[in-house]
Amino acid sequence: MFDSFSAMDISASGLAAERVRMEVTANNIANANTTQTESGDPFRKQRVIFAAAMQKAPGSMLQPQGVRVVGLEADQSDFQEIYDPQHPHADEETGILRLPNVKIPNEMVDLITASRSYEANLRAISLFKDMVEQTLNLLQGNR
């Protein structure tokens, strides 16, 4: 049977996952102009990998437990290239500068989506709390 408090746990896991997504997206935006990292390459956009969290319940049924972050993945799309022989990180022979594969408009859409998902999970927790309070008030009034 589905535990009513697990609904709050599911929303709480969504809050945590979306917080990580917003942090990673903010890091991508912050590094949108980083043309050289420790590896010598430009910064590579990172993506958060989510997975459904399930728990085996009595009777061999799986119960949803929310979402969890299973890791980060580097976006393997090509770097942008521009001709800028004056830049210190440009190729000395060709003058080509490789730029990060971060696209600010896409990152802003990801940030807004994560923010809206965070707000929806927060609202679900708030509604659950209100329902519990109303239930307790009704039970106290019937004594």
Side-chain angles (χ1 to χ4, degrees), residues 76-89:
Q76 295 301 316
S77 62
D78 293 335
F79 293 121
Q80 301 173 43
E81 294 182 348
I82 62 169
Y83 179 73
D84 187 359
Q86 302 301 317
H87 196 282
H89 299 145

Side-chain angles (χ1 to χ4, degrees), residues 36 82-98:
Q36 192 172 44
I82 62 169
Y83 179 73
D84 187 359
Q86 302 301 317
H87 196 282
H89 299 145
D91 184 270
E92 290 180 12
E93 294 177 14
T94 63
I96 298 295
L97 175 65
R98 295 187 317 154

Side-chain angles (χ1 to χ4, degrees), residues 5-83:
F5 285 100
S6 68
M8 187 179 282
D9 293 336
I10 290 170
S11 289
S13 74
L15 286 174
E18 294 301 340
R19 179 189 54 78
V20 170
R21 186 172 161 206
M22 286 188 279
E23 288 174 356
V24 169
T25 303
N27 185 55
N28 288 342
I29 292 169
N31 285 288
N33 294 318
T34 303
T35 56
Q36 192 172 44
T37 60
E38 291 175 3
S39 68
D41 287 329
F43 176 81
R44 252 189 212 286
K45 172 185 171 168
Q46 300 289 307
R47 288 188 272 188
V48 180
I49 307 300
F50 297 114
M54 304 294 278
Q55 179 179 14
K56 193 168 186 174
S60 298
M61 294 194 59
L62 289 177
Q63 284 186 319
Q65 297 294 305
V67 65
R68 61 189 173 92
V69 174
V70 294
L72 297 178
E73 170 180 87
D75 184 336
Q76 295 301 316
S77 62
D78 293 335
F79 293 121
Q80 301 173 43
E81 294 182 348
I82 62 169
Y83 179 73

Side-chain angles (χ1 to χ4, degrees), residues 59-143:
S60 298
M61 294 194 59
L62 289 177
Q63 284 186 319
Q65 297 294 305
V67 65
R68 61 189 173 92
V69 174
V70 294
L72 297 178
E73 170 180 87
D75 184 336
Q76 295 301 316
S77 62
D78 293 335
F79 293 121
Q80 301 173 43
E81 294 182 348
I82 62 169
Y83 179 73
D84 187 359
Q86 302 301 317
H87 196 282
H89 299 145
D91 184 270
E92 290 180 12
E93 294 177 14
T94 63
I96 298 295
L97 175 65
R98 295 187 317 154
L99 300 173
N101 60 352
V102 176
K103 295 182 175 77
I104 297 295
N106 294 356
E107 296 302 309
M108 292 305 296
V109 168
D110 286 348
L111 192 58
I112 291 168
T113 303
S115 176
R116 296 287 163 90
S117 296
Y118 188 92
E119 290 170 4
N121 281 302
L122 191 60
R123 182 71 179 136
I125 290 173
S126 178
L127 289 172
F128 179 78
K129 182 186 76 88
D130 291 347
M131 286 176 21
V132 169
E133 285 178 359
Q134 288 177 2
T135 301
L136 289 174
N137 287 339
L138 287 172
L139 291 173
Q140 288 176 349
N142 289 334
R143 288 186 182 178

